[in-house]
Amino acid sequence: MLDVRRMRLLLELSRRGTIAAVADALAYSPSAVSQQLGVLEKEAGTALLEPFGRRVRLTPEGEVLAAHAEAILTELERAEADLSASSGQVRGTLRIAAFQSAVLTLLPDALIGLSRDHPDLRVEATEMEPEESLPALLAGDFDLALCEEYPAHPRAVPRGLERTDLVTDGLRLAVPRSWGRFDLVDLADAPFAMEPIGSTSRDWAAATCRTAGFEPDVRYTTNDLLVHLRMVERGLAAALLPDLVQPQDRPDVRLRPLDGGPVRRIFACTRLGSARRPAVRAALEVLAG
């Protein structure tokens, strides 16, 4: 008989990549993880791991068993969610990961509402970009992740997670009020602040400038949109910013609409079945409101 707890270790190894990472995430020692995986191999009657450089990786048989482990653990999570839902009580600990502008704007009001309506619920929030938070959610490090998606750049949601759309967030050109140029087509030689190369926001922003007829001169690169806003405010750069960063509140920043009225979409992700948990459901309702 295969042991579900050991199957979870195998699944975690397939997700996290190293025995050390599995041990750290699940509060085991690396030697204990290796020992339990060795026992699982004996239960399965076949090799589940093979050497790969200084690490190990799953064999084809290990991949098959990890897929079954994922399905089994998803059903167990659904069962736990149904049990929690039957009580109707919102309590325990809810762990949320959210990207920066959501932490600054959406999350505080949601936390206040949850604290007011559900005093027995403890909420832990961590700032984290979707590239990191979605794998962490899938691995069980969080219960809910707030994510963003830019126009023409749909974000892939890993198998095992489900998406709940929340709000749309307008995207606009932000320029220093001291500049005499206000339209994107006039900024071919202007400095810009953008997020790092490879991010969907950078891909979208650069493509928007190219559509306007020029390659942006990116002088300032950071994931921190408040730094973008500060550069605009001080007259150092233009930027393409979402409304949630609240550039409209800065008197030294002038905003201009972009062609087509683009928006980024903000959505929540949860593991399959876990949205039935009263705490997760309560958080989704507050965030959607």
Side-chain angles (χ1 to χ4, degrees):
M1 178 72 70
L2 296 172
D3 185 277
V4 173
R5 290 170 297 181
R6 296 188 185 107
M7 290 176 68
R8 184 188 179 195
L9 294 177
L10 185 71
L11 178 60
E12 292 294 337
L13 180 59
S14 73
R15 290 171 172 170
R16 299 180 187 269
T18 68
I19 287 176
V22 174
D24 184 60
L26 301 182
Y28 283 88
S29 67
S31 61
V33 173
S34 296
Q35 182 184 35
Q36 290 299 307
L37 289 172
V39 174
L40 182 62
E41 284 188 314
K42 292 179 180 178
E43 292 174 345
T46 187
L48 303 174
L49 306 175
E50 62 185 7
F52 183 65
R54 295 185 178 181
R55 303 180 179 181
V56 294
R57 65 182 177 186
L58 274 62
T59 63
E61 293 80 6
E63 296 285 356
V64 169
L65 189 55
H68 282 287
E70 182 177 35
I72 290 167
L73 291 170
T74 296
E75 286 303 314
L76 286 174
E77 180 146 27
R78 286 195 177 106
E80 291 173 352
D82 286 345
L83 285 173
S84 296
S86 67
S87 72
Q89 296 180 336
V90 180
R91 60 188 181 186
T93 299
L94 180 71
R95 300 160 301 169
I96 299 176
F99 60 95
Q100 185 203 46
S101 49
V103 171
L104 290 170
T105 53
L106 291 179
L107 203 54
D109 286 342
L111 295 175
I112 291 169
L114 288 170
S115 176
R116 179 191 63 235
D117 298 337
H118 308 290
D120 293 330
L121 178 65
R122 171 187 170 89
V123 181
E124 299 174 356
T126 301
E127 181 188 334
M128 188 175 290
E129 294 301 312
E131 290 79 9
E132 297 179 78
S133 66
L134 288 176
L137 172 65
L138 191 61
D141 296 340
F142 297 97
D143 304 300
L144 186 151
L146 289 176
C147 304
E148 60 180 352
E149 159 180 284
Y150 279 77
H153 292 81
R155 186 173 295 279
V157 174
R159 187 185 66 185
L161 301 181
E162 55 187 338
R163 166 176 170 161
T164 301
D165 289 325
L166 298 174
V167 296
T168 58
D169 186 21
L171 295 162
R172 307 178 198 281
L173 170 65
V175 295
R177 189 166 290 278
S178 59
W179 288 9
R181 298 166 291 172
F182 303 119
D183 291 316
L184 188 60
V185 294
D186 300 323
L187 300 179
D189 60 348
F192 275 81
M194 290 188 182
E195 293 192 56
I197 292 174
S199 63
T200 56
S201 56
R202 172 65 172 266
D203 291 345
W204 167 78
T208 299
C209 291
R210 291 171 191 141
T211 300
F214 65 92
E215 186 69 25
D217 178 10
V218 181
R219 305 273 186 93
Y220 312 104
T221 302
T222 173
N223 280 317
D224 192 334
L225 295 183
L226 291 180
V227 174
H228 294 200
L229 181 56
R230 185 63 170 165
M231 293 297 179
V232 177
E233 190 176 34
R234 296 305 300 271
L236 294 170
L240 302 177
L241 293 175
D243 287 342
L244 275 182
V245 182
Q246 299 177 327
Q248 63 273 17
D249 295 339
R250 306 294 178 100
D252 292 328
V253 175
R254 185 164 184 175
L255 298 177
R256 299 288 286 177
L258 294 168
D259 290 344
V263 297
R264 68 171 178 172
R265 299 186 181 278
I266 296 173
F267 61 94
C269 274
T270 54
R271 287 185 298 280
L272 287 174
S274 69
R276 305 177 193 179
R277 283 181 53 201
V280 175
R281 188 170 64 245
L284 290 173
E285 290 172 354
V286 169
L287 287 164

